[in-house]
Amino acid sequence: MKNKAGQTVLLLFGYCIPFAFLGIYGDVSYDTMWLYALLAAGMGLLCLTCIKFKNPIALVLGNIISGIVSVLCAHAFISAELEWYFKPLTARKTVILISLGAFLIQFMLWKAASKKAKQ
């Protein structure tokens, strides 16, 4: 796709998936860790696409959007009875921590790819 704005919009739609929420929701509700793999695969694929198309705006804004949507979903779907599951943190704080961690990893990948491209 040659249209940079179109690429950014499509990438931002991909980042609208609440990856961090899906990971913790699967852990709480279904006692499975497989949705954390979905988190890693989905965010990794989006990050690699941002790197390939040299689109740091989509990377940053997308992670912000994904984090906000994940926190909103955690607020809506994780009940007060399930807050104990992620002790010492709450479910919402866990979502924020996972989102920040995913962003930091993606940012480091972006920097490493940019550095490699300059060489």
Side-chain angles (χ1 to χ4, degrees):
M1 182 180 285
K2 295 185 185 219
N3 184 356
K4 189 88 165 181
Q7 290 173 354
T8 303
V9 169
L10 286 176
L11 286 167
L12 291 178
F13 275 129
Y15 274 110
C16 285
I17 299 169
F19 290 108
F21 167 73
L22 290 175
I24 68 160
Y25 187 75
D27 197 3
V28 168
S29 299
Y30 303 111
D31 201 28
T32 182
M33 302 294 277
W34 284 106
L35 292 178
Y36 288 113
L38 175 69
L39 160 79
M43 294 290 259
L45 180 64
L46 287 167
C47 176
L48 291 175
T49 306
C50 287
I51 290 170
K52 180 180 178 189
F53 291 123
K54 296 179 175 67
N55 198 337
I57 294 169
L59 183 86
V60 174
L61 287 178
N63 275 285
I64 292 169
I65 290 169
S66 183
I68 290 170
V69 172
S70 291
V71 170
L72 292 174
C73 287
H75 182 70
F77 294 107
I78 302 292
S79 65
E81 300 88 45
L82 295 175
E83 285 291 334
W84 61 269
Y85 193 82
F86 296 101
K87 289 285 183 188
L89 302 174
T90 64
R92 288 164 198 82
K93 289 179 183 176
T94 303
V95 165
I96 292 168
L97 187 65
I98 290 171
S99 296
L100 286 173
F103 173 69
L104 289 175
I105 291 169
Q106 291 178 54
F107 186 74
M108 288 188 299
L109 287 172
W110 173 267
K111 284 296 196 185
S114 297
K115 190 176 187 180
K116 185 177 179 183
K118 288 180 182 178
Q119 291 179 355

